[in-house]
């Protein structure tokens, strides 16, 4: 286990205090916890101190300890235990955390570390000449499908190549890190396949399985062929209880009872195994009947393209908006919207209820457009782009 110590004395400031905004935030955060449990706010307060100064200083630890009425050693234990707390000064514009766990290593993480060594400093946690950049190797950051990846402050940058990481580092060093879009750096929607979905592109037809509920044991006698199951077969499972069913025991009891009865009685009570799935008269069972299984689900037809409620489309403009910035719109959905003549945020923002319902039905979204509030998202993006979206929703689009 690595040893984590506070920075040397020459780096430690004389004092620490939250600025006015963070002080108000800290008081509100402490009040969230029940009386006598306010010390549970130690982690969020330390994290806010780090966001204010860039790293956790000794003065910040002492300040938080006093504010929460905790022994200094208790807060120091928290700060040195969790590796998300930086105990030494890091780059003022970017501290790059390179994932070094197996999936990322297999996909080129070592090459990313070489880029950091070349462009920042040979040693992790060491600052570059201007004090604007630093880097370190960390454990898994939870995006193995998109390996290799790095995290800069709170944003993840995935599917990286050494060349792309160099571009990102240069942007942060120039103070333009906000212009780099987080997430996959290739044609991929989050963790979906590159270029869009490759499977499950059509509706799956319902198929009757052996896991569906079967008729009760007393509703119809169990055929001998079903009662005498091979011993190496696994016991059936009651789909309602998810525990071993009692049907096999009931079947065995029926067989024993049948053996004690005269042949004429058993002949009447035990149906011919070949007749299973047929009616008493031998005719095939009708779909949806008690013996014929469930009818196939009716396929929901898309609304007509000539419907009066279809949103009015336009000719493709020279510059189209990135509709994927709307939560709920991926590459495939964006392509369908383009086919309908929808290319801008302003168009989506103008949809009335009937138009939203038409698009929702056409996409078979089952109310998702209303749940995700596409219109509100589109209005914010049309008004002021990403900055207005962040102001309205408190986070970046997508």
């Amino acid at each position: 286990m690595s040893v984590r110590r506070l920075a040397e004395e020459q780096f430690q400031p004389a004092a620490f205090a939250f600025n006015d905004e963070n002080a108000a935030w800290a008081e509100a955060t402490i009040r969230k916890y029940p009386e006598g449990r306010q010390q549970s706010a130690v982690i969020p307060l330390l994290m806010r101190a780090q966001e204010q100064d860039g790293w956790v200083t000794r003065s910040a630890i002492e300040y938080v300890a006093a504010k929460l009425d905790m022994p200094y050693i208790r807060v120091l234990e928290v700060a040195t235990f969790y590796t998300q707390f930086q105990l030494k000064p890091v780059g003022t514009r970017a501290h790059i955390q390179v994932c070094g766990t197996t999936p990322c290593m297999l996909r080129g993480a070592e090459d990313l570390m070489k880029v950091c060594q070349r462009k920042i400093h040979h040693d992790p946690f060491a600052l570059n000449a201007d004090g604007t950049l630093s880097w370190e190797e960390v454990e898994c950051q939870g995006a193995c499908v998109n390996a290799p990846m790095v995290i800069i402050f709170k944003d993840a940058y995935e599917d990286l190549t050494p060349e792309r990481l160099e571009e990102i580092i240069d942007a942060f060093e120039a103070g333009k890190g906000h212009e780099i879009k987080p997430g996959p750096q290739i044609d991929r929607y989050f963790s979906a396949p590159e270029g869009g979905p490759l499977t499950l592109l059509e509706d799956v037809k319902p198929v009757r399985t052996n896991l569906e509920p079967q008729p009760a044991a007393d509703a119809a006698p169990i055929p001998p062929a079903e009662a005498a199951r091979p011993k190496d077969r696994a016991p059936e499972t009651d789909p309602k209880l998810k525990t071993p069913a009692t049907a096999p025991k009931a079947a065995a009891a029926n067989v024993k009872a049948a053996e004690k009865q005269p042949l004429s009685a058993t002949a009447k009570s035990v149906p011919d195994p070949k007749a299973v799935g047929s009616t008493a008269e031998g005719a095939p069972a009708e779909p949806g009947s008690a013996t014929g299984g469930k009818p196939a689900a009716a396929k929901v037809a898309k609304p007509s393209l000539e419907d009066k409620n279809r949103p009015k489309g336009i000719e493709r403009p020279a510059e189209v908006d990135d509709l994927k910035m709307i939560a709920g719109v991926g590459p495939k959905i964006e392509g369908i919207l383009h086919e309908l003549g929808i290319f801008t945020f302003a168009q989506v923002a103008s949809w009335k209820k009937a138009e939203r319902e038409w698009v929702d039905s056409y996409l078979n979204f089952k109310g998702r457009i209303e749940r995700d509030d596409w219109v509100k998202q589109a209005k914010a993006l049309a008004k002021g782009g990403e900055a207005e979206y962040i102001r309205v929703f408190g986070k970046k689009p997508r």
Side-chain angles (χ1 to χ4, degrees):
M1 187 173 181
S2 61
V3 177
R4 288 169 49 80
R5 295 190 176 95
L6 299 183
E8 291 77 5
E9 197 62 37
Q10 64 265 29
F11 297 113
Q12 298 289 349
F16 171 88
F18 280 135
N19 56 35
D20 292 342
E21 179 183 354
N22 287 339
W25 175 91
E27 293 296 337
T29 299
I30 294 171
R31 287 196 298 270
K32 293 179 181 179
Y33 296 91
E35 187 65 30
R37 295 289 185 268
Q38 289 83 359
Q39 294 181 358
S40 298
V42 60
I43 289 181
L45 263 61
L46 283 173
M47 184 56 69
R48 184 54 68 103
Q50 175 168 287
E51 292 173 358
Q52 178 175 304
D53 283 6
W55 59 293
V56 177
T57 65
R58 176 185 288 110
S59 299
I61 295 175
E62 294 170 346
Y63 177 89
V64 171
K67 195 168 191 64
L68 297 178
D69 193 23
M70 294 177 65
Y72 169 75
I73 187 63
R74 294 284 305 282
V75 183
L76 178 64
E77 287 173 343
V78 173
T80 55
F81 180 82
Y82 293 105
T83 55
Q84 71 263 40
F85 294 125
Q86 302 298 331
L87 304 181
K88 296 181 180 181
V90 296
T92 56
R93 293 181 178 172
H95 178 65
I96 301 171
Q97 296 178 306
V98 184
C99 178
T101 311
T102 304
C104 282
M105 278 294 187
L106 293 173
R107 297 279 290 171
E110 288 183 317
D111 293 332
L112 301 185
M113 294 180 200
K114 291 178 181 178
V115 170
C116 293
Q117 290 176 324
R118 184 171 68 255
K119 297 190 70 68
I120 301 175
H121 195 283
H122 180 272
D123 299 324
F125 297 105
L127 300 173
N128 65 344
D130 297 329
T132 56
L133 301 173
S134 57
W135 72 280
E136 66 172 309
E137 179 184 351
V138 297
E139 294 295 329
C140 182
Q141 299 179 109
C144 305
V145 173
N146 300 41
M149 65 167 296
V150 304
I151 283 183
I152 302 178
F153 298 127
K154 291 185 176 181
D155 290 321
Y157 301 84
E158 305 153 0
D159 294 302
L160 291 171
T161 62
E163 294 75 20
R164 180 55 180 161
L165 181 57
E166 288 192 34
E167 295 171 356
I168 293 174
I169 292 175
D170 290 340
F172 275 92
E173 187 173 19
K176 299 180 179 179
H178 62 280
E179 298 179 1
I180 305 295
K181 186 176 181 180
Q185 301 298 302
I186 60 174
D187 182 20
R188 182 204 294 270
Y189 176 68
F190 290 146
S191 296
E194 297 182 33
L198 303 177
T199 59
L200 302 179
L201 301 178
E202 299 177 355
D203 293 337
V204 179
K205 296 180 179 180
V207 179
R208 183 177 176 85
T209 69
N210 291 332
L211 296 180
E212 295 187 21
Q214 304 296 321
D218 56 353
I222 306 299
E226 289 294 313
R229 293 179 180 275
K231 294 182 179 180
D232 60 344
R233 288 187 59 173
E236 292 182 358
T237 301
D238 186 336
K240 295 180 180 178
L241 303 178
K242 299 299 182 184
T243 56
T246 58
K249 295 181 180 179
N254 285 347
V255 173
K256 290 182 178 180
E259 291 175 351
K260 296 179 180 180
Q261 294 179 2
L263 179 60
S264 57
T266 58
K268 293 179 181 179
S269 61
V270 181
D272 183 352
K274 296 180 180 179
V276 174
S278 302
T279 61
E281 291 76 16
E286 291 295 329
S289 66
T291 57
K294 292 184 178 180
K299 187 174 182 180
V300 179
K302 288 187 177 182
S304 171
L305 294 174
E306 305 300 326
D307 192 296
K308 65 178 181 179
N309 293 323
R310 173 187 174 182
K312 185 177 180 181
I314 62 174
E315 293 293 330
R316 185 185 183 94
E319 293 186 6
V320 300
D321 291 333
D322 183 5
L323 300 181
K324 296 189 297 298
M325 295 179 72
I326 299 175
V329 178
K332 182 178 179 180
I333 299 302
E334 183 183 49
I336 296 175
L337 293 175
H338 287 174
E339 293 173 1
L340 296 174
I342 309 298
F343 297 97
T344 67
F345 298 133
Q347 288 177 275
V348 179
S350 67
W351 286 351
K352 304 300 182 185
K353 181 176 178 60
E355 294 172 315
R356 297 195 298 271
E357 291 177 348
W358 186 93
V359 177
D360 193 273
S361 179
Y362 188 82
L363 298 176
N364 193 23
F365 260 20
K366 301 178 181 179
R368 182 172 179 181
I369 290 179
E370 294 293 337
R371 293 195 301 273
D372 290 347
D373 206 344
W374 284 16
V375 170
K376 184 176 181 181
Q377 293 187 65
K379 284 181 179 179
L381 291 168
K383 181 178 179 181
E386 183 176 288
E388 178 66 13
Y389 191 101
I390 295 173
R391 189 191 71 79
V392 173
F393 295 98
K395 62 179 181 179
K396 292 183 179 180
R398 303 308 305 166

